[in-house]
Amino acid sequence: MAAPIKLSELAVGASGVIREFPKADPASIRLREMGLLIGTRVTLVRTAPLGDPLDIKLRGYHLSLRKSDADHVLVEPAE
């Protein structure tokens, strides 16, 4: 079992399983409403040319996410 890393630190094309969220603030509640739940597998598809936002794939759809929001989500890299 690999140590959790920030979602924003995943390599392009890599997948991970969400393990931890920040405290309940409006931004994290909104992320949960969009399907980012503990145990969900996500894949970093690509990043914008300047590194922000990130395009992640989860639950069959793509989600654009600010790097600052992705910094607060911890994932366990998947093999």
Side-chain angles (χ1 to χ4, degrees):
M1 189 155 113
I5 61 171
K6 296 176 185 177
L7 176 57
S8 60
E9 294 174 348
L10 271 180
V12 172
S15 296
V17 178
I18 297 174
R19 291 296 176 216
E20 190 176 324
F21 263 101
K23 295 179 183 175
D25 62 0
S28 66
I29 292 170
R30 182 69 181 136
L31 292 175
R32 287 183 180 102
E33 291 172 347
M34 291 187 286
L36 283 168
L37 301 170
I38 293 176
T40 302
R41 186 179 182 103
V42 298
T43 303
L44 180 61
V45 177
R46 63 180 161 256
T47 62
L50 297 176
D52 198 18
L54 308 175
D55 178 20
I56 62 172
K57 184 175 181 180
L58 70 152
R59 299 178 184 260
Y61 75 96
H62 288 259
L63 176 67
S64 291
L65 189 62
R66 289 186 205 118
K67 191 172 183 181
S68 61
D69 291 333
D71 283 341
H72 299 291
V73 179
L74 295 180
V75 298
E76 179 183 312
E79 290 133 22

